[in-house]
Amino acid sequence: MTASPSSIRSTIPNIVFLIRRNAKNPSLAWRLFKHLSSSSPSSALCPSSISAISRILARSNMLPELKHLHHLLLLHPSPSSPSSLTALALSSASFGLLDLSVSLLPSLRSLSPPPLSFYNSLIRSSLRFSRHDLVQIIYHDLLLSGGTPDVQSLNLLMHSLCDSSRLCDALKVFDKMSLKGCRPNEFTFGVLIRGYCRAGQAERALEVLMQMVSQGCRLNMVIYNTVIAGFCREGKVLEAEKLVERMREDGFYPNVVTFNARISGLCKAGMVLDAHRILRDMKEEGDNLGLPRPNQISYNLVLGGLCRLGLVEEGAILVEEMRRDGFFVKLESYNIWLSGLVRNGRLLEAMKVLEEMVTYGLEPNVYSYNIVIDGLSKQGMVLSARSVMILMKNRGILLDVVSYSSLLHGYCLKGMVQAATWLLHEMASNGCFPNVFTCNILLQSLWKEGRTWEAEMLLQKMNEKGYGLDIASCNIVIDGLGRCGKLDKAMEIVSGMWLHGSAALGELGNAFLGLVDDRNVSSKCFPDLITYSILINGLCKAGRLDEAKKKLLEMLGKNITPDAIIYDTFIHGFCKLGKISSAFKVLRDMEKKGCQPSTRTYNLLIWGLGRKNQISEMHDLIDEMCDKGVSLDAMTYNNLIQAFCEGGMISKAASLLNEMMKGGILPKLASFSLLIKAFCKVGEFDAAQGAFRTGLAICGEKEVLYSLFCHELCRYGKVLEAKELFQISFEKGFVVENFSYKYLIEELCKESRVDDAHSLLVAMINRGSVLDPAAFMPVIDALGRQGNKREADKLSAQMMDMAARHDDESYNIVSQHRSNIIGSKPHIHGTDGSMEDDWRTLLHKDDGSGIVMKVLKKVQKGWGQGSIPIARKHNVVLDDWESIG
C-alpha cells in the first residue's frame, strides 16, 4: 500500500530528527539512513533528509558514501529529486567537496535546470576554497542550462578572474555587463578595484573609482581604504595622502584601517620614523586632531618596521609602551619582536622573551620556537639551537620540518655534515618526514665539499622516497660539478635538461640512469635564470669567457632575460683578467638592454681599476655613480682605501674615513683592517693604533680587530706589544682559537723571551683553553736549551693531555644524536662548557654600546639554496633509509 502524501510529510521530520541526533557518529547515521531509505525511499530521499545526511557525511569527508547517496537518488526518481540533488550538491560544496558537487551538474540539468541561486552558491563556495578552476566550469554549466547570469553571478566571476591574475578577462566581463542588461553596482566596482590593487596597479584602481563616481554609484569606506592601501603598498605615499584628502571632502573620515594602510606603506618604504610619528599622534593627540585610536595592528606594523631597520633599542621602548597600553599580549606581537631580535643578532634577549611568554601564560607556538632555532643555527650556535628543540619537546610542542631544517642548515654551515645526516634520520624516525628543501640543504653541503659519491647517494634516496628532484636540486648538482672542476659535465646536463628535465642528471653516471622519472612535461625541471647564472659564473671563474658568452646567447635564445647578477659576473671575470675595457663594454651593453647597473656593478669596476692602480679613473667612475644617482657604500670606499694603501698613499686612505662618515656611510671592519695592515707594513704603529681605537669606537669591541692587530704587530717585530694586546683580549674573554697564539709564542721564543711565552701558555692552559699541541713545541725546545728539564717535561705531559682533548667537535654532536635516537637522556648543557662557549662568542660580537649589530657576511645571491661555506671534511657514509620514512 502506498503511503499518502500527508503521512510522508509527518514522517519526514522524524527521519531528519533521527539523522541529526546521530550527527556525532557519521557511520551510524549513514547506516540508519540506508535502513530508512530502503523501507521508505520517498520520505528518506526528500530534500530535507538529503540535506541533513549529506552535511554529516561531507563534514567527515565520507566521499564513497556521498557518491552512493547520489546513486540512490538516481535509482529512485521522484518530483523532489532535483531539489534533493541540489541539497546534496550544496552540502558537499559547503565543506569543500566541490569536485563531487560539480559532478552532479549533468544529472541536475537532465532533470530540471537548477535555479540561479544554486549556481551562485556553488561559485561562492568555489571562491571560498580557492577552486578558481571550477568557477569557469560552473559558470559554463549555468549557460548550458539556459540560465541568465545576474549581477551577482558576474560579480563572482570577476572576483575569480581577478584572484587568478586574469584582470584583462575580468575587465571584459565588466565591459559586457551593460550589454547583458546588468547594471554594475558598488560590489562590481569594488571587485575590480580590489583586483587592480592586488596586482600592484593602484593607478588603474583609482581610474575605476572615478568611473564609479561618474556612473552615480555610492562610494564607501571600504573602497577608499582599498585604493589607499594599494598606493601605500606600492610606496606611493603622496598619492595615498591625496586620496585621503578627497575622502575627507566626500564626508568620509579616515578610520584606523586607513591609518594602518598609511603606516604599513611608510614602513615598507623605509620611512619607519614617519610611521612611528603617526602612531604617536594617534595615541597622544588623537582626540585633539580627530584621529582614530591605534589598535593592535598599528603597533605591530611599527614594531616590525623598527626591527627591519635594525632599530632594536627603539623597538624595545615601543614594546614597553605596548605592555603599558595592553597591546603586548598577543602571540603575533611576541613573534614580531622575537623575529626582530633574532634578525639583529640579539639572541640572548630572544631567549629571555621565550621564557617571559611562558611566565605570562602565553605559550609560544612552533613558529615562535622556529624563529629562535633558525637564528641560533645561522649564527653557528647549533648546541643552543638543539637545546631549544629539546625544550619544545618537553613542553609538548611537535617539531615540524622547519625546526629540523633550520638546525640541519646550521650543522651544514659549520661543516658538520655527519651530524646533519644523523639529524635527517632522527627527523624521519620521529615521524616528521623531510621535504625536498630539507634534503637540498644537505645535498648542497655535500657537493660544496666535493663529496660527490655521498651526494649521489642522497639524490638516489630522495628519488626513491618520492621527494622528487626540483629545479633547486638540479641547480645544486650543477653548482657542485662546477666547484669540482667538472664544468663540461655541468654544461652537458644543462643541455640535456631542455629535453629530459631532471632526468638529465642520469648523465652523472650509471648510478642515476633510470632513477628519475620526469616524463611529465608540465613538471619538468627546465633550466632557469639561476641555472645559467651558476654556469656562467663557473665559466668566468675558470677564465673561459668566450664559452660564457655563448651561454649568454643561448639563454637569450630560450627567452631567459639576464639579470644584473649575470652582467656583474662578466664584469668581475674581465676585471679579474685585467681586461678593463671589456668590462666597461659589458657595463654599456647592460645599460642599453635596460638593466640598470647597481652599486655592486660599479664596485666591481672600481675594484678592477684599483688592481691596475688607475686612481684617476676610479674617481671618474665615482663621479659617474653620483651623476646617475647610484649610491656609494662602504665597499666603494674600501676599494679606494685598498688602492691608496697599495699605492703607498696611506694618509689619503685614512682621510676617506672622514669622507665616508660625512656622507652618512658607517665604516665597516674591513675599512679599519685595511688601514691597520697598511700602517703596520710601513712601520707607522702609532697611526695603526689610532685606526684600531677608532675601529673599536665605531664597530664596538670586535674580536676580529684585536686578532688582526695582534697578528700584524707580531708580524712586523712588535712582539711585546702583540703580547700585551693578546693578554687584554684574553682577559676580555675572546676565543683564544681565533688568535695567532702559536705564531706569537714562536716569535717570543725567537727573541729569547721564553719566560713570557711560557707564562702566556700556562695562563691559557689554566683558563681551560683547548690549544693546538704544536703551540707547546717552541717553549719546550727553548726550556730544554736552557737546561730547565723539569719545566720542559711538565709542559710535555700537558701537551700530550692537550692532544687527547684536541678532538673534532662534531664527533660529540653525532654521539649526542645517536643517544637521542635510541632514547637516551639528551645532553643539554654538558660539562665541557661547549654551550657556554656558544653564548660567550655571541656576547662578544657586540659590546652593548648601542650600535646596531650588523652581521658582516658577504651573501652570494641566487645560487642554489644559499651560501654554505666549505668546511672540514669528514669520512661519512650515508646510512640506508630503508628502516625509516
Side-chain angles (χ1 to χ4, degrees):
M1 185 175 70
T2 306
S4 66
S6 59
S7 65
I8 291 172
R9 282 195 299 271
S10 64
T11 308
I12 289 169
N14 294 330
I15 293 175
V16 173
F17 172 75
L18 288 170
I19 292 169
R20 286 178 178 168
R21 193 172 67 176
N22 292 283
K24 291 184 178 178
N25 191 336
S27 298
L28 182 60
W30 172 241
R31 288 202 301 272
L32 176 64
F33 175 82
K34 282 201 298 182
H35 173 73
L36 293 170
S37 63
S38 62
S39 60
S40 179
S42 54
S43 55
L45 298 177
C46 70
S48 55
S49 302
I50 293 298
S51 179
I53 188 63
S54 60
R55 287 186 67 82
I56 293 169
L57 296 175
R59 186 185 290 114
S60 302
N61 201 29
M62 297 171 70
L63 202 56
E65 287 79 2
L66 285 165
K67 289 179 178 178
H68 186 68
L69 188 57
H70 178 210
H71 182 65
L72 283 174
L73 287 169
L74 296 179
L75 278 177
H76 301 280
S78 70
S80 65
S81 290
S83 299
S84 298
L85 280 170
T86 300
L88 174 59
L90 291 176
S91 297
S92 302
S94 64
F95 290 98
L97 301 177
L98 286 152
D99 291 307
L100 174 64
S101 299
V102 170
S103 71
L104 301 178
L105 291 177
S107 302
L108 273 164
R109 218 181 324 112
S110 65
L111 294 171
S112 174
L116 184 60
S117 59
F118 165 76
Y119 282 107
N120 287 345
S121 295
L122 275 191
I123 294 173
R124 198 176 292 108
S125 293
S126 300
L127 290 174
R128 185 155 56 91
F129 290 100
S130 300
R131 290 297 306 273
H132 300 290
D133 56 320
L134 296 180
V135 171
Q136 299 292 318
I137 295 171
I138 297 166
Y139 184 77
H140 183 64
D141 198 273
L142 165 62
L143 299 178
L144 283 176
S145 70
T148 303
D150 62 1
V151 67
Q152 188 181 18
S153 314
L154 296 170
N155 285 349
L156 291 168
L157 178 61
M158 284 175 59
H159 191 167
S160 174
L161 291 168
C162 289
D163 282 0
S164 305
S165 302
R166 295 172 60 187
L167 273 169
C168 292
D169 292 333
L171 192 58
K172 287 176 185 176
V173 174
F174 177 79
D175 292 336
K176 289 178 181 178
M177 284 183 77
S178 56
L179 297 176
K180 295 179 180 291
C182 295
R183 180 180 171 80
N185 58 22
E186 60 186 86
F187 297 105
T188 315
F189 286 104
V191 166
L192 200 55
I193 285 169
R194 175 178 169 272
Y196 277 125
C197 288
R198 289 186 67 181
Q201 300 180 42
E203 292 284 357
R204 293 292 304 275
L206 184 59
E207 291 173 12
V208 176
L209 186 147
M210 302 306 294
Q211 185 181 348
M212 185 177 178
V213 174
S214 67
Q215 292 192 16
C217 281
R218 188 175 178 276
L219 293 172
N220 56 51
M221 282 290 294
V222 174
I223 286 178
Y224 268 119
N225 282 339
T226 300
V227 184
I228 289 165
F231 277 125
C232 289
R233 276 195 298 272
E234 294 173 34
K236 298 176 179 177
V237 181
L238 279 177
E239 288 85 345
E241 295 287 348
K242 288 176 185 175
L243 194 55
V244 169
E245 290 306 313
R246 178 186 172 87
M247 181 179 176
R248 291 179 187 275
E249 291 169 7
D250 288 347
F252 295 100
Y253 291 95
N255 57 16
V256 69
V257 176
T258 318
F259 274 85
N260 284 347
R262 295 169 75 192
I263 288 169
S264 177
L266 288 166
C267 289
K268 284 179 181 175
M271 302 164 70
V272 180
L273 297 180
D274 291 332
H276 199 187
R277 177 179 53 78
I278 291 174
L279 179 69
R280 290 206 171 281
D281 289 343
M282 291 170 70
K283 180 188 171 189
E284 297 170 5
E285 302 290 337
D287 296 333
N288 297 332
L289 299 175
L291 306 179
R293 304 293 293 176
N295 61 11
Q296 184 85 42
I297 296 171
S298 317
Y299 281 103
N300 286 348
L301 286 168
V302 176
L303 179 61
L306 290 170
C307 291
R308 278 192 296 274
L309 273 191
L311 302 172
V312 184
E313 303 301 331
E314 290 79 357
I317 294 168
L318 183 61
V319 165
E320 289 306 313
E321 286 181 23
M322 292 172 72
R323 279 200 178 96
R324 286 197 304 270
D325 297 340
F327 286 110
F328 202 69
V329 292
K330 300 282 187 182
L331 190 60
E332 183 186 0
S333 303
Y334 272 101
N335 284 344
I336 290 169
W337 184 225
L338 272 174
S339 183
L341 289 170
V342 169
R343 185 186 291 116
N344 290 283
R346 311 283 276 268
L347 295 171
L348 216 127
E349 292 170 60
M351 291 289 286
K352 287 178 181 175
V353 170
L354 271 182
E355 294 171 7
E356 175 194 308
M357 291 170 73
V358 177
T359 304
Y360 284 112
L362 185 66
E363 185 62 44
N365 60 8
V366 66
Y367 178 68
S368 314
Y369 286 107
N370 284 347
I371 290 169
V372 179
I373 290 169
D374 186 57
L376 291 167
S377 298
K378 283 178 179 174
Q379 291 290 324
M381 300 170 63
V382 290
L383 286 173
S384 300
R386 181 72 182 175
S387 72
V388 175
M389 289 176 68
I390 293 169
L391 184 65
M392 286 175 71
K393 288 180 181 178
N394 292 341
R395 287 182 176 164
I397 297 174
L398 293 176
L399 281 74
D400 63 9
V401 69
V402 178
S403 317
Y404 284 106
S405 297
S406 297
L407 183 57
L408 189 137
H409 194 195
Y411 284 143
C412 289
L413 283 170
K414 293 195 80 173
M416 298 161 64
V417 182
Q418 188 173 3
T421 306
W422 274 101
L423 184 66
L424 201 64
H425 284 268
E426 181 189 337
M427 180 181 182
S429 64
N430 287 338
C432 181
F433 298 106
N435 56 24
V436 66
F437 177 76
T438 314
C439 295
N440 281 345
I441 294 170
L442 182 56
L443 180 66
Q444 185 180 33
S445 191
L446 290 168
W447 273 108
K448 283 194 172 183
E449 289 196 344
R451 298 159 71 162
T452 312
W453 182 81
E454 290 163 275
E456 290 178 1
M457 290 297 294
L458 178 59
L459 277 169
Q460 286 188 54
K461 293 298 179 187
M462 286 170 68
N463 192 67
E464 288 170 11
K465 292 294 177 183
Y467 296 134
L469 303 176
D470 60 7
I471 186 62
S473 312
C474 297
N475 287 341
I476 289 168
V477 172
I478 291 161
D479 189 31
L481 289 168
R483 289 173 184 272
C484 296
K486 299 177 181 178
L487 274 169
D488 293 326
K489 178 59 72 176
M491 287 193 288
E492 188 181 334
I493 287 174
V494 171
S495 299
M497 283 174 69
W498 285 112
L499 293 173
H500 309 295
S502 62
L505 294 182
E507 295 176 20
L508 281 169
N510 292 330
F512 282 93
L513 291 175
L515 284 176
V516 182
D517 184 7
D518 204 6
R519 290 170 293 184
N520 185 356
V521 175
S522 63
S523 63
K524 273 186 181 176
C525 298
F526 294 120
D528 61 4
L529 180 63
I530 294 174
T531 314
Y532 279 99
S533 294
I534 293 168
L535 212 51
I536 289 170
N537 181 57
L539 290 167
C540 287
K541 278 185 177 178
R544 296 163 64 175
L545 286 156
D546 289 336
E547 291 174 81
K549 285 183 202 173
K550 289 177 183 177
K551 287 297 162 188
L552 179 65
L553 293 173
E554 182 182 306
M555 68 182 288
L556 289 168
K558 299 287 187 181
N559 293 320
I560 301 173
T561 305
D563 62 358
I565 292 175
I566 287 183
Y567 284 113
D568 288 352
T569 302
F570 276 104
I571 289 171
H572 185 225
F574 282 123
C575 288
K576 197 174 175 183
L577 293 175
K579 298 181 177 181
I580 305 298
S581 59
S582 297
F584 271 92
K585 284 178 184 176
V586 175
L587 173 69
R588 302 310 169 204
D589 185 57
M590 182 179 181
E591 292 171 326
K592 285 178 187 175
K593 294 289 195 307
C595 185
Q596 293 302 316
S598 64
T599 303
R600 182 176 183 271
T601 311
Y602 281 102
N603 283 346
L604 288 168
L605 287 163
I606 291 167
W607 170 77
L609 290 167
R611 292 183 79 207
K612 304 198 96 176
N613 203 30
Q614 295 178 253
I615 306 296
S616 62
E617 287 84 352
M618 292 172 77
H619 282 296
D620 291 341
L621 203 55
I622 288 172
D623 291 339
E624 182 180 321
M625 288 175 73
C626 296
D627 292 341
K628 291 185 176 179
V630 180
S631 59
L632 281 66
D633 65 4
M635 185 61 70
T636 316
Y637 280 99
N638 284 349
N639 286 329
L640 276 173
I641 290 169
Q642 185 169 5
F644 282 145
C645 288
E646 288 175 358
M649 297 176 280
I650 306 173
S651 57
K652 280 189 176 182
S655 68
L656 287 173
L657 289 179
N658 290 328
E659 189 180 319
M660 286 174 75
M661 288 187 278
K662 283 180 183 176
I665 301 169
L666 199 67
K668 304 289 185 185
L669 284 169
S671 314
F672 298 104
S673 298
L674 288 166
L675 288 172
I676 290 168
K677 286 180 180 179
F679 281 128
C680 287
K681 187 176 181 179
V682 296
E684 295 186 23
F685 296 104
D686 289 340
Q689 178 79 11
F692 171 69
R693 292 192 180 282
T694 307
L696 294 179
I698 291 176
C699 301
E701 294 281 324
K702 300 297 182 184
E703 180 182 283
V704 66
L705 283 175
Y706 280 92
S707 175
L708 171 77
F709 193 28
C710 182
H711 179 81
E712 294 300 311
L713 286 170
C714 192
R715 181 182 180 187
Y716 292 105
K718 294 288 182 178
V719 183
L720 285 179
E721 289 84 347
K723 174 182 173 285
E724 183 182 344
L725 187 63
F726 180 75
Q727 286 175 322
I728 293 170
S729 307
F730 193 55
E731 288 166 7
K732 285 181 177 288
F734 290 139
V735 181
V736 171
E737 289 81 355
N738 294 335
F739 286 75
S740 305
Y741 64 88
K742 290 188 291 182
Y743 182 39
L744 176 59
I745 288 169
E746 188 177 355
E747 291 301 308
L748 284 167
C749 291
K750 282 181 182 177
E751 294 198 4
S752 301
R753 296 190 174 274
V754 183
D755 292 341
D756 288 327
H758 188 198
S759 64
L760 200 62
L761 195 59
V762 170
M764 287 191 286
I765 294 168
N766 292 339
R767 190 69 69 90
S769 301
V770 181
L771 307 177
D772 188 331
F776 290 73
M777 293 307 301
V779 184
I780 292 170
D781 289 343
L783 289 171
R785 286 194 297 272
Q786 288 179 353
N788 194 344
K789 188 175 183 303
R790 181 182 173 185
E791 283 299 321
D793 289 344
K794 183 180 177 182
L795 211 56
S796 296
Q798 288 176 316
M799 181 182 74
M800 297 304 294
D801 178 59
M802 192 65 68
R805 294 174 58 196
H806 199 258
D807 290 330
D808 192 353
E809 181 189 5
S810 66
Y811 175 80
N812 295 325
I813 298 291
V814 175
S815 300
Q816 179 183 330
H817 277 292
R818 287 179 186 266
S819 65
N820 286 341
I821 291 167
I822 62 173
S824 299
K825 187 175 179 180
H827 178 70
I828 301 175
H829 293 291
T831 56
D832 59 354
S834 53
M835 179 76 72
E836 289 76 5
D837 284 346
D838 264 353
W839 288 108
R840 186 176 65 186
T841 305
L842 172 69
L843 286 168
H844 288 293
K845 286 183 179 178
D846 197 293
D847 66 337
S849 61
I851 299 169
V852 178
M853 189 186 97
K854 303 291 183 184
V855 181
L856 298 171
K857 290 179 180 176
K858 186 177 180 181
V859 180
Q860 182 184 13
K861 296 180 180 177
W863 310 101
Q865 289 282 351
S867 181
I868 302 176
I870 293 175
R872 295 167 296 178
K873 296 185 183 294
H874 304 283
N875 184 19
V876 181
V877 177
L878 291 171
D879 289 341
D880 201 279
W881 288 4
E882 294 307 321
S883 59
I884 54 176

